[in-house]
Amino acid sequence: MRLMSLVDLSLNGSSQIPYSIIKDALRIDDIEVESWVVKAITAKLLDCKIGQMNQVVIVSRCTERCVWLYQWQELRSKLTTWRGNIAGVISTIQTNKITEDSAQQMQGLAIR
């Protein structure tokens, strides 16, 4: 998602994107900006130059974000699965907590 957010920044019309805007949009540290730009170049999402001196990315071309219906359906399926998995983890934690609390209460009674 960060790569696509980086592409979205370049679609806003400005050919120069300051590092600070990239950092804020992607919610990353200063030192990570260049590595994310390189990832976008490697993925062929951006054609750009990195201006280290001025701390700007100079974009010459970018690929627009396009999400198709089947991709939304796949995402929904994955999120539903993840939601079920998280519910299972929460249930297991709650069960183990109850079991642990009961065991501690029993130990407390045995000591008295």
Side-chain angles (χ1 to χ4, degrees):
M1 291 305 284
R2 286 183 172 159
L3 287 175
M4 296 312 296
S5 295
L6 182 54
V7 170
D8 285 346
L9 288 176
S10 62
L11 289 172
N12 290 336
S14 176
S15 63
Q16 292 192 8
I17 309 168
Y19 280 24
S20 58
I21 291 178
I22 295 171
K23 179 187 79 117
D24 293 342
L26 303 185
R27 297 181 183 165
I28 56 175
D29 294 327
D30 292 333
I31 60 172
E32 295 179 281
V33 170
E34 289 179 11
S35 66
W36 278 100
V37 172
V38 169
K39 288 177 186 178
I41 293 168
T42 304
K44 299 187 188 295
L45 297 172
L46 290 180
D47 280 339
C48 61
K49 295 180 181 178
I50 299 173
Q52 291 178 323
M53 293 287 289
N54 297 324
Q55 292 200 323
V56 293
V57 175
I58 304 161
V59 180
S60 56
R61 183 201 62 84
C62 65
T63 302
E64 292 189 42
R65 181 188 305 213
C66 190
V67 181
W68 302 101
L69 179 61
Y70 77 92
Q71 292 170 313
W72 284 115
Q73 291 168 339
E74 287 176 7
L75 180 60
R76 181 179 186 161
S77 173
K78 287 179 184 179
L79 289 174
T80 301
T81 301
W82 290 348
R83 185 181 210 179
N85 290 343
I86 290 171
V89 169
I90 291 171
S91 175
T92 301
I93 290 171
Q94 289 173 341
T95 301
N96 288 340
K97 187 176 186 306
I98 292 169
T99 303
E100 185 178 316
D101 289 346
S102 297
Q104 287 176 353
Q105 287 177 352
M106 294 301 272
Q107 286 178 347
L109 292 175
I111 295 174
R112 291 183 188 172

